[in-house]
Amino acid sequence: MKKNISIFIGSVILAGGLYFFLLQHHIAAGGMSGLSLVISTIFGIDIGIINLALNALVLVMGWIFISPNFAKRSVLSAVVISVSIIILENLFPDTILTNDMIINTVFGPVFIALGLGIIFYNGGSSGGTDVIASIVNKYLKVSIPASLFMTDLTVILLSMLVIGLEPSLYAILAIIVQSIALNNMIQGLGRKIALVVISDKYEEINEVLTTKFNRGVTLLHAQGGYTGREKKLVLTISTIRRYPIIQEEILKIDDKAFIFTYIISEVVGEGFTMKELG
């Protein structure tokens, strides 16, 4: 239930970014929303209704050609995004937040990436071109990134023909910004710090990490390259927020401890994504 609520919130954020920053300014930045904008421009039908119909079509295709479970992951987000756009079209038909196209092509994709990040982090999918790319990948053996690129390129070319060159160039910029923002957003939501500590007082450090900070610890066997001495490396994983406190506590135990860290984008398992065993 909690994940569904998060997917719902992420979908609303995504729809708001799409509508106010891109669709209102005729920027067809790929995907189903971009194709919906192109079709809306041709036939004069509301974008949200077209988006809902297209998503329904690709979800049925996903159900048939990929798997029912794959389609189910996309239903909630696809419906919420489409319905949100329909509601926004009716409530704010002429609302323009800014006419600065650079602001629109930067902030729109950032909000979209935030929404997508929340959706993906909670096991959902936004449907749309993701489904098409997965079908192409399964049957034509074309990689999913290549399939998504071809789909977005097709939407951009249609946009150039129907909407015009300048909005399509802004759409290309928006796709680039969205890709960069999404990569950083996904990594940021699950980002942790891995600490490796080399110290003769490894037993005391292990004790404080496991008892005071309730962290899992792995002791690795090592050998000094210069001295040839046997050593123990202490490995643990911490949230970024708690790292400074943990580092300070380690240095209290051994002010000569050798500590190095590295960022990891995601941790799955006990203590992070699962409850600790009782």
Side-chain angles (χ1 to χ4, degrees):
M1 185 63 183
K2 184 179 178 181
K3 286 190 174 184
N4 287 339
I5 293 172
S6 296
I7 291 171
F8 177 87
I9 293 170
S11 301
V12 171
I13 293 172
L14 191 157
L18 266 173
Y19 181 75
F20 288 112
F21 293 98
L22 301 184
L23 300 180
Q24 283 285 69
H25 299 276
H26 305 288
I27 300 173
M32 280 298 153
S33 61
L35 183 58
S36 300
L37 176 60
V38 171
I39 296 173
S40 173
T41 304
I42 297 172
F43 296 104
I45 305 171
D46 287 349
I47 298 170
I49 293 173
I50 298 171
N51 196 67
L52 184 61
L54 290 176
N55 272 305
L57 176 63
V58 297
L59 287 175
V60 171
M61 291 170 60
W63 185 287
I64 295 170
F65 295 109
I66 305 295
S67 73
N69 286 335
F70 182 86
K72 286 177 183 177
R73 288 177 53 227
S74 306
V75 169
L76 176 60
S77 182
V79 170
V80 172
I81 291 169
S82 298
V83 171
S84 295
I85 292 174
I86 292 172
I87 292 170
L88 291 172
E89 281 184 300
N90 284 278
L91 291 180
F92 308 101
D94 302 312
T95 301
I96 302 296
L97 299 183
T98 175
N99 284 310
D100 189 315
M101 296 301 282
I102 296 298
I103 291 177
N104 287 315
T105 50
V106 170
F107 281 90
V110 167
F111 277 104
I112 293 168
L114 174 59
L116 283 172
I118 295 171
I119 293 166
F120 293 158
Y121 192 71
N122 287 278
S125 168
S126 60
T129 49
D130 293 347
V131 178
I132 295 173
S134 297
I135 293 171
V136 172
N137 171 254
K138 182 176 180 179
Y139 291 97
L140 300 181
K141 306 305 179 185
V142 178
S143 69
I144 288 179
S147 302
L148 287 169
F149 173 77
M150 289 189 294
T151 305
D152 287 339
L153 180 62
T154 302
V155 173
I156 293 295
L157 292 174
L158 289 172
S159 172
M160 285 182 180
L161 293 173
V162 175
I163 300 174
L165 177 61
E166 186 173 313
S168 301
L169 294 177
Y170 281 118
I172 294 171
L173 176 60
I175 290 172
I176 294 170
V177 173
Q178 181 180 318
S179 177
I180 295 170
L182 181 58
N183 287 338
N184 284 279
M185 195 68 64
I186 291 174
Q187 290 183 352
L189 287 172
R191 193 171 292 176
K192 303 290 184 295
I193 285 185
L195 294 85
V196 179
V197 184
I198 302 174
S199 169
D200 291 334
K201 298 181 179 179
Y202 66 89
E203 291 178 334
E204 295 174 52
I205 292 170
N206 176 56
E207 179 71 18
V208 77
L209 289 173
T210 54
T211 56
K212 183 173 182 177
F213 294 105
N214 200 29
R215 293 290 88 222
V217 177
T218 300
L219 298 178
L220 305 173
H221 295 279
Q223 184 178 32
Y226 181 74
T227 63
R229 288 174 53 200
E230 294 291 329
K231 293 179 178 291
K232 290 284 181 69
L233 274 62
V234 180
L235 170 64
T236 190
I237 295 172
S238 165
T239 60
I240 293 175
R241 182 176 296 180
R242 297 191 73 185
Y243 165 67
I245 304 170
I246 291 175
Q247 182 195 59
E248 182 181 355
E249 199 68 30
I250 291 171
L251 292 175
K252 282 181 182 178
I253 297 170
D254 183 2
D255 59 3
K256 294 181 180 179
F258 183 81
I259 304 171
F260 67 89
T261 66
Y262 52 93
I263 298 292
I264 48 180
S265 61
E266 185 175 11
V267 180
V268 178
E270 184 182 328
F272 286 93
T273 59
M274 297 187 303
K275 291 182 178 180
E276 297 180 10
L277 300 177

